[in-house]
Amino acid sequence: MKEKLEQIYKEAKEQIEKIDMTQGLNDLKVKYLGKKGELTEILKGMGKLSPEERPKLGSIVNEIRDSIVEAIETKEKELKQKELNKKLEKEKIDVTLPATKITRGSKHPINRVIEEIQDLFVSMGYDVISGPELETDEFCFERLNLPKGHPARDMQDSFYITNEYLLRTQTSAVQARTMLDYGGNKPIRMICTGKTYRREDDATHSHQFNQVEGLVIDEKDKNVSLSDLKGTLEIFVRKMLGEKTELRFRPSYFPFTEPSYEVDVSCFKCGGKGCNLCKQTGWIELLGAGIVHPNVLKMNGYDPEKYGGFAFGTGIDRLAMFKYGITDMRYLYTNDVRFLKQFDRFEK
Ligand code: PHE
């Protein structure tokens, strides 16, 4: 019996030694240690032995069993390590290779300015309202006190699509829409930012550009005077172009405001002394503004006896050019990445 056990042990060791894959090792485990394995068979047959022989043989069987288990475990570790080494060898990564460059986009300067304007006015309690770019003659002109044939229509060379539809030439179209929406009996404080279109194309004008429009309507004695307009524009312009910016109101003409003003800002480049940007005048023309014309209030549902207000508008592209020192408006639309990338540095 003892010899048989030694024989089994010898055989097992030899076989374990030869194995070179973990799968084969599992088969050997079953063969020697499993329920029907050779050692188990011997243990089962121990009943036939005399009481003195039984413990002796039992301890030999256990010893052999332990040795086989140990041999298998050692082999298992060895094989696992071998397989890992092989894998590492095959899947070698060259950590010195330069990584693929991930290029990140950045916000367009126009969008930066739009967001800044919206944040400012929202903080002052304004609603941000949008309107259609394909506008009707009615909202773009007629409801703004510009009937058909009115000479002031020539101020804005328009892209007509049909007799009735055109690409809006000004965000002022949204003034009329908002007044009608608000129903003639509620105060309004709104800005609208958006694309506008005119038949122009040179270094300072583009056929498509962006405007911001502001409209404030309330009962006549409630902060809707010219001085409120002035204060509002001061906050706006100083936030955008610097705290030292001064405003100058020049009488002007817009059909939808009376009185109307063109608003100049002190040149932020030379501080008002005169330079090439302000053409030696110290001032730069920036906004249109005025007190809403009674006809516009009436046509859009507000009683001019009871309600009053002010409106203002300006080109966002011009603001962006001033803010970032951009010399040609067309840079804003050609979307050359080399140009756009320069604004990465303003990323918060
Ligand atoms: N809509 C005018 C323009 O495009 C600007 C403006 C807006 C003037 C509001 C007065 C009031 O030139």
Side-chain angles (χ1 to χ4, degrees), residues 18-230:
K18 272 195 249 151
I19 291 292
D20 61 358
M21 271 185 18
T22 30
Q23 178 53 40
L25 204 58
N26 284 339
D27 294 345
L28 284 186
K29 239 191 239 175
V30 176
K31 182 171 176 207
Y32 290 103
L33 310 170
K35 263 193 202 141
K36 286 183 184 154
E38 292 188 23
L39 282 180
T40 324
E41 285 304 315
I42 290 177
L43 284 173
K44 274 187 204 155
M46 285 214 322
K48 290 187 206 122
L49 297 174
S50 66
E52 302 90 63
E53 275 177 316
R54 240 180 267 161
K56 265 198 227 153
L57 197 71
S59 80
I60 296 176
V61 171
N62 281 339
E63 223 172 88
I64 289 178
R65 195 189 164 82
D66 290 347
S67 307
I68 294 179
V69 169
E70 204 188 302
I72 287 179
E73 275 172 3
T74 318
K75 190 71 183 179
E76 214 166 23
K77 265 192 212 148
E78 190 186 303
L79 287 180
K80 280 211 172 117
Q81 187 59 44
K82 245 195 208 154
E83 277 161 25
L84 182 68
N85 286 347
K86 239 200 227 156
K87 217 172 151 189
L88 285 175
E89 186 66 30
K90 235 180 28 209
E91 298 172 7
K92 212 191 230 167
I93 298 169
D94 182 355
V95 287
T96 63
L97 263 181
T100 345
K101 196 169 172 206
I102 300 168
T103 39
R104 203 161 129 255
S106 65
K107 234 177 253 166
H108 193 284
I110 299 259
N111 284 336
R112 273 174 208 287
V113 174
I114 289 178
E115 281 175 20
E116 200 174 323
I117 295 173
Q118 289 181 344
D119 282 352
L120 172 69
F121 280 98
V122 165
S123 79
M124 299 200 287
Y126 284 60
D127 292 327
V128 177
I129 291 178
S130 59
E133 284 169 44
L134 184 63
E135 193 43 285
T136 57
D137 186 275
E138 177 191 350
F139 280 98
C140 201
F141 297 129
E142 279 182 52
R143 283 185 178 275
L144 295 173
N145 204 26
L146 261 147
K148 287 203 168 77
H150 193 289
R153 283 192 179 210
D154 294 347
M155 283 163 76
Q156 304 174 359
D157 288 321
S158 326
F159 287 115
Y160 273 90
I161 306 295
T162 66
N163 275 346
E164 193 47 37
Y165 283 93
L166 72 157
L167 294 173
R168 70 176 171 199
T169 55
Q170 50 184 355
T171 42
S172 302
V174 187
Q175 282 192 27
R177 290 191 173 273
T178 310
M179 284 189 227
L180 286 175
D181 269 0
Y182 277 58
N185 54 8
K186 278 198 289 280
I188 299 174
R189 261 188 199 194
M190 73 87 163
I191 59 156
C192 163
T193 58
K195 294 192 183 93
T196 43
Y197 304 80
R198 288 183 202 176
R199 282 196 279 124
E200 294 175 301
D201 189 9
D202 61 47
T204 51
H205 295 93
S206 156
H207 63 280
Q208 188 242 293
F209 54 105
N210 295 270
Q211 280 192 335
V212 53
E213 189 84 10
L215 175 70
V216 173
I217 304 271
D218 208 335
E219 286 168 32
K220 275 189 157 168
D221 53 349
K222 289 192 178 157
N223 305 332
V224 288
S225 68
L226 195 55
S227 63
D228 298 305
L229 167 64
K230 190 159 186 262

Side-chain angles (χ1 to χ4, degrees), residues 4-20:
K4 195 173 172 202
L5 279 169
E6 263 155 20
Q7 182 62 28
I8 290 177
Y9 177 59
K10 215 173 128 210
E11 239 179 70
K13 269 205 97 165
E14 273 169 16
Q15 283 178 0
I16 291 170
E17 213 46 58
K18 272 195 249 151
I19 291 292
D20 61 358

